Amino acid sequence: MENLHDTFRYGHKMFYENITIRAIMTLLVLVSFLCGQWPIFEGTPIQRIHHFLTFGAYDYFQRFVGFVFGAKGTNAISSVEYFCCDRPNPILQLIYLAIVGGTYFLVANSSFGYIPGYYIGEIHRYTSLLAVGVGVLLFLLTSFSDPGTVKADNVSQYLSAYPYDNIIYSEKECSTCKIPKPARSKHCSICDRCVARFDHHCGWMNNCIGERNTQYFMAFLLCGHWVILAGQIKEFKVIDILTVYYGIENSFRSLSPHVVQWLLGAYNTQILLMVFLAIVSLSLAGFFGYHAKLCLTNTTTNETFKWQEYVSWQRKLNEARASSAALKASINGMSSERKPPENKWRAMFRRSPLKDVEVVVKNNIYDKGFFQNILEIIMPLSRRQLSLRTKSKSG
């Protein structure tokens, strides 16, 4: 009997380790694909995996098609790439809606039979539909709302709303739209329009994320997922069977691998859905956390890269100035009257002039504090100025 228990425990241990490794690998690939381009992952294996998934693999595929089918094959791939990546199209929107609809159908078909259960009541049938409905509504609001398109008839309100900092933004004209380019705006090459307080173009939304739809985008990311399996564990007395019959220690660490194995055997569809939703939720949580930080500091994704380029350029410029000053001082020392040779050990540990380089400080004039930054997301500056103008005219 003891050998049976040992075999049972060893099998469950191997099973648990196998599941854990697969989950970690799946999460790593998803995070690398979705978030690998973020500044926080620069120079890490996640960035390299992201580069391979988004560029390297596609490059190898193009070469293979070119080798097999010649110029016609590569031209066909280029046409598909142009339609999918360089022009507005609803493909990713339809894929997202299909994923949400298909997942909800599978959840309803496989899990609603257990409602009401030990922990959840009949109302959860309707709250789940409400949660999905709210998520889809926020998705549609973000997709089809105006992100803050800058035109000739409204450019003045954006120019007054966002002053130039003369660091990463200076007064200039959009070379495509031929109108003044407000600070914090950018011309989106995919949508072919200038967008105020431009953050990024989101392929899933088939829309830019800008001044007037950032609040919908953040609310969409905040929308979460939930699962319903805990009640079934209690109803079927899984814990009692494992602890009494198999002699498993009644602790979370000992019971968790066995409970997971039972769930996979009895509710494999629900578990797969749970893992899928958990990974999606973690990805969305990370994306929400990144954008929440940007909102709290009144920065956009576009400005993050601009500041990186500016700080890197200023640092190199300061290092060049320090090196030039050190070289000039060295030449002046050689031309002056000869001094006794410096001790080798002292020369070895002498402080490098590059260590005295002035630290480049990011001076974000748009960061107005926690509450003002949040208010700017909820009620964009251009809308506030427009409402003030309307009130002054009516008064």
Side-chain angles (χ1 to χ4, degrees), residues 16 242 248 251-263:
Y16 184 66
L242 289 172
I248 306 299
S251 66
F252 176 80
R253 184 176 180 180
S254 301
L255 287 170
S256 55
H258 308 299
V259 172
V260 169
Q261 184 177 14
W262 176 83
L263 286 170

Side-chain angles (χ1 to χ4, degrees), residues 146-159 174 177-182 185 192-196:
D146 177 23
T149 305
V150 182
K151 303 175 184 177
D153 57 351
N154 66 3
V155 66
S156 59
Q157 70 186 62
Y158 289 114
L159 288 170
C174 176
C177 299
K178 303 302 180 184
I179 58 175
K181 193 174 184 179
S185 67
D192 194 25
R193 60 183 173 182
C194 281
V195 177

Side-chain angles (χ1 to χ4, degrees), residues 63-225:
R63 293 181 185 180
F64 173 76
V65 171
F67 177 77
V68 176
F69 299 102
K72 289 184 178 179
T74 53
N75 290 338
I77 291 177
S78 298
S79 300
V80 173
E81 179 187 359
Y82 176 78
F83 175 77
C84 294
C85 303
D86 297 330
R87 302 307 310 157
N89 68 83
I91 292 177
L92 288 179
Q93 285 176 302
L94 295 174
I95 290 174
Y96 171 79
L97 292 174
I99 290 172
V100 171
T103 304
Y104 183 77
F105 172 78
L106 289 173
V107 169
N109 191 49
S110 63
S111 303
F112 276 20
Y114 305 114
I115 298 176
Y118 192 88
Y119 291 120
I120 53 180
E122 185 72 22
I123 193 173
H124 284 80
R125 289 176 181 268
Y126 310 105
T127 55
S128 62
L129 180 61
L130 177 65
V132 172
V134 169
V136 172
L137 176 63
L138 291 170
F139 174 80
L140 295 175
L141 279 172
T142 310
S143 297
F144 296 104
S145 59
D146 177 23
T149 305
V150 182
K151 303 175 184 177
D153 57 351
N154 66 3
V155 66
S156 59
Q157 70 186 62
Y158 289 114
L159 288 170
S160 58
Y162 298 106
Y164 297 106
D165 62 356
N166 293 316
I167 301 176
I168 59 174
Y169 294 112
S170 56
E171 189 174 351
K172 62 174 69 174
E173 183 184 82
C174 176
S175 58
T176 307
C177 299
K178 303 302 180 184
I179 58 175
K181 193 174 184 179
R184 313 195 75 183
S185 67
K186 182 181 178 181
H187 186 91
C188 177
S189 59
I190 298 176
C191 295
D192 194 25
R193 60 183 173 182
C194 281
V195 177
R197 201 184 180 278
F198 179 88
D199 190 273
H200 69 286
H201 179 89
C202 182
W204 290 101
M205 306 291 181
N206 193 28
N207 197 7
C208 290
I209 307 301
E211 186 206 46
R212 297 202 172 190
N213 65 352
T214 299
Q215 66 271 43
Y216 302 136
F217 180 68
M218 293 299 294
F220 168 76
L221 293 180
L222 192 57
C223 188
H225 305 276

